[in-house]
């Protein structure tokens, strides 16, 4: 039993390759040949997360990777699909309870 299901893996990969652009479940569903309703249900069934929550998680992880790789917080935010560093910082604080800028201490 391969989890998640192949179409969900393809939706995830498609989204990960496009994080710096606006994405929708409808587009991801079309990419794998599903209706948006079926894709929504299947994605939650296979991952335990709504597609939007998964996208947010991917974007946060991409921003952390970019920032830890030497990008400025603003560049990391843009490359991960956030409108600006403030949007990234607010989201990061809401999800993790610390500011994204505090990662600077880890980066050195």
């Amino acid at each position: 039993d391969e989890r998640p299901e192949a179409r969900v893996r393809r939706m995830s990969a498609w989204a990960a390759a496009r994080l710096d652009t606006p994405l929708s479940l409808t587009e991801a569903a079309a990419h794998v040949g599903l209706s948006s309703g079926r894709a929504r249900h299947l994605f939650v069934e296979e991952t335990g997360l709504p597609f939007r929550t998964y996208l947010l998680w991917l974007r946060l992880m991409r921003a952390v990777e970019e920032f830890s790789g030497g990008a400025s917080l603003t560049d990391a935010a843009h490359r991960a699909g956030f409108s600006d560093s403030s949007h990234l910082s607010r989201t990061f604080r809401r999800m993790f309870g610390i500011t994204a800028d505090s990662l600077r201490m880890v980066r050195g």
Side-chain angles (χ1 to χ4, degrees), residues 33-74:
L34 294 172
S35 70
S36 59
R38 179 66 184 132
R40 178 180 295 106
H41 175 79
L42 186 62
F43 200 90
V44 170
E45 181 180 289
E46 294 288 319
T47 66
L49 296 171
F51 187 70
R52 284 180 53 114
T53 302
Y54 179 76
L55 280 180
L56 181 59
W57 179 255
L58 282 180
R59 285 189 164 120
L60 286 167
M61 294 303 98
R62 171 75 51 84
V64 168
E65 287 173 14
E66 293 287 338
F67 187 63
S68 65
S72 70
L73 199 55
T74 299

Side-chain angles (χ1 to χ4, degrees), residues 5-11 25-43 46:
E5 197 252 15
R7 291 173 293 187
V8 171
R9 289 195 310 271
R10 288 192 354 245
M11 287 172 63
L25 175 65
T26 302
E27 293 170 315
H31 175 71
V32 297
L34 294 172
S35 70
S36 59
R38 179 66 184 132
R40 178 180 295 106
H41 175 79
L42 186 62
F43 200 90
E46 294 288 319

